Amino acid sequence: MKENSCIRVSNLSKKYSGSDSFALKDVTLEIFNGEIFGLLGPNGAGKTTFFSIVCGLLNATSGNAQIAGYSTDKDIESIKKIIGVVPQDIALYPTLSGRDNLMFIGRMYGLKGKVLKERVQECLSKFGFDKNSNEQVKKYSGGMKRRINLIGGILHEPEILLLDEPTVGMDVQTRTSMMEHLKELNKEKKMTILYTSHYLEQAELFCDRVAIMDQGQILCLGSPVDLIKKENGKDLEDVFLKFTGRKIRD
Ligand SMILES: Nc1ncnc2c1ncn2[C@@H]1O[C@H](COP(=O)(O)OP(=O)(O)O)[C@@H](O)[C@H]1O
Ligand SMILES: [Mg+2]
């Protein structure tokens, strides 16, 4: 094991009950402290399955996953203290305001009083919520809900942030600014970020390293620049095409 290993996944496989194929097949990878790592692939590739096992929300069929040396199936209480989770499906209370949703989430993470109030305000401002934070979430656009969802995962300043398709439904401008904020957290707070996406272009700019997966398996792993060079492509879309013979949006 490398000393700076943060998330370690060994021979991880998952077959959902009732399904006759594997959603994940023998996935092994390591994510290092302080890096931004992208798990990329088309819909159905197995990204959410991988994500859910790493967060301890789902049991693997075989293999194991560790975060900071803790096993995701035995030490989830220790893991919970150091991670922030932003799931693909948004879980917010529609009749509460964005701010009140965040106050609620913050309390669940153990924040309280003045510290909680200030953290919520600080994050709302940072993510462009100066105006609408007191409106009911049901009036928000999809992108606004996603931003609140994301803030919910970083309020407690976790060491490791796990994001499943955080930018779906966001316009380019919101997406870019969100990525910049995440990059800032990564740089300033040394936050390790694992992020899944089917937007290869965005990941190319954002990630230190990526793994491209399809049909439950890792096709290739490395820095975007190295992968593109190795496959003689012009971008990660080309890399995906080289491995699968098809475009990611097919
Ligand atoms: N709860 C489930 N039960 C059965 N099959 C599932 C379930 N969740 C996902 N799958 C299947 O597992 C595969 C991977 O899905 P998923 O991990 O959601 O992929 P992604 O997040 O990359 O779109 C897909 O074929 C999907 O249909
Ligand atoms: Mg998914």
Side-chain angles (χ1 to χ4, degrees):
M1 179 171 101
K2 289 219 173 65
E3 268 174 25
N4 65 347
S5 168
C6 169
I7 298 176
R8 206 152 58 98
V9 168
S10 310
N11 307 106
L12 204 63
S13 293
K14 175 69 184 179
K15 195 174 183 178
Y16 287 100
S17 59
S19 170
D20 46 10
S21 59
F22 279 89
L24 274 187
K25 284 178 230 163
D26 205 25
V27 170
T28 294
L29 63 83
E30 223 173 337
I31 295 167
F32 306 128
N33 279 320
E35 78 175 340
I36 301 183
F37 189 95
L39 185 67
L40 312 176
N43 282 333
K47 304 182 297 297
T48 297
T49 302
F50 176 93
F51 183 89
S52 304
I53 295 171
V54 167
C55 296
L57 299 168
L58 185 71
N59 288 323
T61 305
S62 57
N64 65 75
Q66 291 184 349
I67 296 189
Y70 298 113
S71 157
T72 55
D73 52 4
K74 293 191 206 85
D75 308 314
I76 197 64
E77 287 310 314
S78 308
I79 290 176
K80 269 191 196 163
K81 297 191 183 108
I82 54 173
I83 63 171
V85 179
V86 182
Q88 180 171 0
D89 295 322
I90 295 173
L92 299 172
Y93 291 99
T95 55
L96 294 183
S97 68
R99 184 186 300 272
D100 286 344
N101 267 282
L102 291 174
M103 293 293 289
F104 177 78
I105 295 170
R107 273 185 221 111
M108 287 205 302
Y109 276 120
L111 299 172
K112 50 189 180 221
K114 198 171 159 223
V115 174
L116 171 61
K117 233 173 153 174
E118 283 174 3
R119 272 299 290 162
V120 168
Q121 182 52 49
E122 187 190 325
C123 290
L124 282 168
S125 306
K126 210 171 206 173
F127 284 85
F129 263 101
D130 285 326
K131 269 191 266 163
N132 317 82
S133 60
N134 296 320
E135 273 181 36
Q136 287 184 320
V137 160
K138 66 180 179 189
K139 294 182 186 151
Y140 287 1
S141 67
M144 287 164 81
K145 286 183 201 160
R146 287 229 158 260
R147 270 186 286 157
I148 296 288
N149 205 37
L150 171 79
I151 297 172
I154 59 172
L155 276 178
H156 61 303
E157 301 195 322
E159 285 171 41
I160 305 161
L161 181 63
L162 307 162
L163 307 138
D164 195 9
E165 301 263 10
T167 58
V168 169
M170 283 186 182
D171 58 60
V172 177
Q173 205 180 349
T174 312
R175 191 193 296 168
T176 307
S177 109
M178 190 186 100
M179 292 319 218
E180 276 165 11
H181 289 316
L182 287 175
K183 202 130 207 169
E184 222 175 274
L185 285 172
N186 168 256
K187 283 230 168 68
E188 284 170 12
K189 313 270 180 197
K190 309 270 179 274
M191 195 183 277
T192 305
I193 299 179
L194 165 63
Y195 132 98
T196 79
S197 182
H198 62 278
Y199 299 119
L200 299 188
E201 199 182 300
Q202 155 197 325
E204 209 172 297
L205 302 169
F206 182 57
C207 299
D208 298 314
R209 288 193 311 142
V210 300
I212 301 185
M213 70 185 300
D214 191 34
Q215 299 179 353
Q217 286 175 304
I218 304 280
L219 304 176
C220 58
L221 190 151
S223 76
V225 173
D226 288 349
L227 290 177
I228 293 165
K229 204 162 139 195
K230 200 167 156 208
E231 300 307 324
N232 267 322
K234 63 176 182 327
D235 53 24
L236 285 179
E237 294 273 356
D238 276 355
V239 175
F240 184 79
L241 182 67
K242 285 259 160 74
F243 277 94
T244 63
R246 63 181 209 279
K247 289 190 169 177
I248 198 162
R249 280 184 191 86
D250 281 354

